[in-house]
């Protein structure tokens, strides 16, 4: 095992743990919320544009893959306490997102209990697999994914407001967006640490993540109605232009990576796994 591999570097592990503890302590003080008590459930809007409910359903589907996300990424980080504890905490917070989106669909009357039960079965018939097989690749993927998800929820909240509003859903999307921004922030802090250790390895791991990025497939979890999918796309919550402007370019700017580096050849050997 290479001496620079972060699992064997006490200084790196200490720094990762301190970042996680700061994240956890801040969450306990400022960011924790309760699904049952902190949403104005009596202010759901059953007349909201059905396309909005379709988008909420697709996001709920993505969140339902949580068991796959956590069970498959934890083995890559098991020997790193800071990363492993964060993934566990991340799983808890993401589970709340799944619950609260599901509850809004039911309480608003846009979906029935039977429909959501069938949807859950449909999701669990499929298996999500890691898009990258090493820990650094998954850290860079998670960093990009969390920021893209933040952009999704932020834009959806704006569309809800433009479509007549739903105080319950707007509160939900605000809380989730804050969580996603916090997750992205910690993943970015992790990546910044690894950049100091081996910048070339980080750029190499970032290249396929950004150049081949896709949100988890959601349209095929819906019915096959082209009209329904078109209505979702017409909301312009996330598309190639938004990705390039708000995710791709943003990532290059905050990490100090150039477009030329993103086009560059891959290194033959990485010092960080």
């Amino acid at each position: 095992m290479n001496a620079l591999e972060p699992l064997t570097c006490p200084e790196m592990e200490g720094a990762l743990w301190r970042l996680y503890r700061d994240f956890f302590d801040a969450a306990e003080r400022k960011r924790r919320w309760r699904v049952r008590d902190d949403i104005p459930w009596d202010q759901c809007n059953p007349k909201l544009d059905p396309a909005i409910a379709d988008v909420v359903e697709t996001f709920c589907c993505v969140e339902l893959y949580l068991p796959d996300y956590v069970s498959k990424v934890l083995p890559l980080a098991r020997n790193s306490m800071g990363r492993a504890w964060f993934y566990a905490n991340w799983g808890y917070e993401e589970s709340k997102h799944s619950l609260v989106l599901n509850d809004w669909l039911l309480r608003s009357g846009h979906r029935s209990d039977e429909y959501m039960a069938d949807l859950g079965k449909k999701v669990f018939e499929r298996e999500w697999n890691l898009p990258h097989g090493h820990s650094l690749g998954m850290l860079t993927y998670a960093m990009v994914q969390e920021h893209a998800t933040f952009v999704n929820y932020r834009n959806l909240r704006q569309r809800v407001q433009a479509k007549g509003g739903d105080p319950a859903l707007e509160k939900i999307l605000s809380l989730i967006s804050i969580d996603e921004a916090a997750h992205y922030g910690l993943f970015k802090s992790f990546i910044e640490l690894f950049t100091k250790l081996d910048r070339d390895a980080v750029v190499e791991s970032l290249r396929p993540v950004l150049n081949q990025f896709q949100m988890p497939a959601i349209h095929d979890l819906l019915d096959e109605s082209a009209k329904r999918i078109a209505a979702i796309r017409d909301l312009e919550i996330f598309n190639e232009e938004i990705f390039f402007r708000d995710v791709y370019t943003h990532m290059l700017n905050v990490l100090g990576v150039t477009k030329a580096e993103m086009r560059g050849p891959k290194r033959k050997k990485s010092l960080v796994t």
Side-chain angles (χ1 to χ4, degrees), residues 23-57:
F23 166 90
F24 178 82
D25 292 341
E28 292 287 284
R29 291 194 312 270
K30 304 176 181 178
R31 198 166 48 78
R32 298 300 187 208
W33 53 274
R34 295 171 294 183
V35 173
R36 291 190 183 275
D37 301 327
D38 293 333
I39 310 300
W41 291 115
D42 60 336
Q43 298 181 50
C44 292
N45 181 2
K47 297 180 180 180
L48 197 62
D49 186 338
I52 295 290
D54 289 343
V55 175
V56 174
E57 178 186 320

Side-chain angles (χ1 to χ4, degrees), residues 29-142:
R29 291 194 312 270
K30 304 176 181 178
R31 198 166 48 78
R32 298 300 187 208
W33 53 274
R34 295 171 294 183
V35 173
R36 291 190 183 275
D37 301 327
D38 293 333
I39 310 300
W41 291 115
D42 60 336
Q43 298 181 50
C44 292
N45 181 2
K47 297 180 180 180
L48 197 62
D49 186 338
I52 295 290
D54 289 343
V55 175
V56 174
E57 178 186 320
T58 62
F59 289 174
C60 189
C61 288
V62 171
E63 301 288 1
L64 283 174
Y65 278 110
L66 180 65
D68 285 346
Y69 300 150
V70 176
S71 65
K72 295 188 177 186
V73 76
L74 270 174
L76 296 181
R78 186 182 181 280
N79 294 325
S80 173
M81 192 168 179
R83 285 181 286 165
W85 257 241
F86 173 58
Y87 279 128
N89 183 95
W90 174 87
Y92 156 70
E93 295 191 2
E94 293 293 335
S95 74
K96 289 166 62 179
H97 300 173
S98 175
L99 290 170
V100 78
L101 293 173
N102 180 85
D103 285 1
W104 179 83
L105 288 166
L106 296 174
R107 288 173 179 259
S108 66
H110 286 280
R111 299 292 186 271
S112 66
D113 288 316
E114 293 77 14
Y115 181 95
M116 294 307 293
D118 289 342
L119 182 66
K121 291 178 182 178
K122 186 185 297 186
V123 170
F124 292 135
E125 287 173 356
R126 301 165 183 262
E127 185 175 356
W128 181 86
N129 292 303
L130 296 177
H132 305 276
H134 51 90
S135 61
L136 186 59
M138 283 308 301
L139 280 177
T140 53
Y141 172 81

Side-chain angles (χ1 to χ4, degrees), residues 114-214:
E114 293 77 14
Y115 181 95
M116 294 307 293
D118 289 342
L119 182 66
K121 291 178 182 178
K122 186 185 297 186
V123 170
F124 292 135
E125 287 173 356
R126 301 165 183 262
E127 185 175 356
W128 181 86
N129 292 303
L130 296 177
H132 305 276
H134 51 90
S135 61
L136 186 59
M138 283 308 301
L139 280 177
T140 53
Y141 172 81
M143 175 186 64
V144 174
Q145 175 69 43
E146 291 297 297
H147 183 64
T149 305
F150 162 79
V151 170
N152 273 286
Y153 284 121
R154 179 200 66 191
N155 291 347
L156 178 57
R157 185 169 182 264
Q158 293 172 352
R159 303 303 183 271
V160 172
Q161 293 171 329
K163 293 286 186 177
D166 181 307
L169 183 56
E170 290 171 48
K171 180 67 172 180
I172 289 167
L173 297 174
S174 177
L175 291 171
I176 294 178
S177 296
I178 292 169
D179 284 352
E180 300 292 2
H183 299 165
Y184 158 68
L186 187 58
F187 278 122
K188 181 170 72 71
S189 294
F190 285 173
I191 289 299
E192 287 169 343
L193 279 180
F194 290 122
T195 300
K196 295 177 182 178
L197 181 70
D198 189 339
R199 186 179 185 280
D200 288 342
V202 169
V203 172
E204 183 177 333
S205 72
L206 185 65
R207 190 179 298 125
V209 170
L210 281 179
N211 290 341
Q212 303 165 24
F213 182 79
Q214 289 184 335

